[in-house]
Amino acid sequence: MQKKLAIVLINWNSYELTRDTLQSLNNTSYKNFDIVVVDNCSTDGSAEKLENEFNHIILIRSDENTGFTGGNNIGFSYALDKGYEYVMMLNNDVEVEPGFLEPLITKLDSDIHIGGVQPLIYFHHDHELIWNAGSKYIKLFGIPQTIGYYRKDNGQLEKQNQKSIDWITGCAFMIRTDVLKKVGLLNQNFFIYYEDVDLSFRIKNAGYDLGYVPASVIYHIAGMSH
């Protein structure tokens, strides 16, 4: 039996982006998941449009814009309260391959020491150009760095198919909810940006590894989500 997953999307005055992402998720081959759309106090009517067009989503309205971090924490809290086994924060400006969920869940299930995973992420405007294929942290300078901006045919993808990377992008971050209970929600001192690095470090400090799964593929309109 497939384990239950909650996918959290944040919407803020961005109906078309969120709509396209939801339509993409409708085509996934893994079926045991719910989509939790957290509307960050939109003023353009996008929440109503999404709720009317996608009657299968769980729409949670925030009465204030709490940013990417606060919005995801609302979704995370819902997933924890409802007993989902996995939760994923996913940007609202992505297109997903139909089979992108199974490899991520298989990776998580393969080793109890893996706390979180991410897919291989290409640019949406160029499906051959990699936006994010894992990440590393430069300790000397305190800089989180993305591995990307190269073409897929140079042989690097499988080399990076390893259990442990330094941090996972908030664009597509899947975590087991039992791990999230241990390490806590996103740090809301980060309104947007670096909250994913902080959560990654807390997961690793709790003794877990982070995995990058190139068999799972999505496409990102970089810089457009809210």
Side-chain angles (χ1 to χ4, degrees):
M1 181 178 176
Q2 292 181 330
K3 296 180 180 179
K4 196 66 177 285
L5 163 70
I7 299 177
V8 179
L9 298 181
I10 309 303
N11 178 71
W12 181 69
N13 295 334
S14 50
Y15 163 73
E16 291 182 356
L17 285 174
T18 306
R19 176 202 61 196
D20 290 350
T21 300
L22 291 173
Q23 288 175 341
S24 177
L25 286 168
N26 283 344
N27 297 321
T28 56
S29 52
Y30 191 93
K31 298 302 182 185
N32 196 20
F33 69 92
D34 290 327
I35 302 171
V36 180
V37 177
V38 179
D39 184 73
N40 249 341
C41 200
S42 294
T43 57
D44 65 345
S46 56
E48 291 78 12
K49 291 178 183 177
L50 293 169
E51 190 172 37
N52 290 333
E53 187 171 347
F54 300 95
N55 57 18
H56 62 287
I57 66 173
I58 298 164
L59 182 69
I60 302 176
R61 300 169 187 264
S62 175
D63 57 7
E64 61 178 321
N65 182 0
T66 57
F68 183 78
T69 303
N72 273 295
N73 276 344
I74 292 172
F76 279 172
S77 296
Y78 179 88
L80 293 176
D81 290 343
K82 298 300 182 182
Y84 290 86
E85 291 170 279
Y86 310 102
V87 63
M88 181 180 202
M89 55 176 167
L90 185 69
N91 275 14
N92 72 326
D93 59 349
V94 301
E95 176 188 352
V96 303
E97 287 287 345
F100 91 110
L101 287 174
E102 287 92 341
L104 296 173
I105 290 174
T106 297
K107 185 80 167 182
L108 279 176
D109 286 348
S110 70
D111 188 338
I112 61 172
H113 297 104
I114 299 177
V117 290
Q118 73 157 80
L120 166 62
I121 308 172
Y122 290 99
F123 281 95
H124 189 274
H125 73 274
D126 184 345
H127 286 194
E128 300 289 310
L129 183 61
I130 292 170
W131 180 75
N132 186 303
S135 55
K136 55 186 176 181
Y137 182 71
I138 312 300
K139 290 184 179 180
L140 180 62
F141 300 105
I143 298 174
Q145 193 172 72
T146 296
I147 300 169
Y149 294 82
Y150 62 83
R151 303 261 163 199
K152 66 180 181 180
D153 291 330
N154 65 358
Q156 293 189 44
L157 292 185
E158 287 307 316
K159 292 179 183 178
Q160 293 161 8
N161 186 15
Q162 54 190 352
K163 181 171 68 173
S164 186
I165 56 177
D166 288 344
W167 60 278
I168 292 177
T169 172
C171 174
F173 194 144
M174 185 185 289
I175 182 174
R176 294 205 309 271
T177 51
D178 62 344
V179 174
L180 189 61
K181 288 177 183 177
K182 292 179 182 177
V183 303
L185 302 179
L186 296 169
N187 185 339
Q188 290 194 204
N189 289 324
F190 303 100
F191 186 78
I192 185 172
Y193 303 128
Y194 299 112
E195 75 291 324
D196 47 7
V197 180
D198 176 76
L199 178 60
S200 295
F201 285 1
R202 285 189 279 129
I203 292 171
K204 296 196 78 169
N205 287 339
Y208 296 95
D209 292 312
L210 301 171
Y212 155 68
V213 188
S216 173
V217 173
I218 70 171
Y219 308 95
H220 182 214
I221 306 173
M224 291 298 294
S225 67
H226 298 281

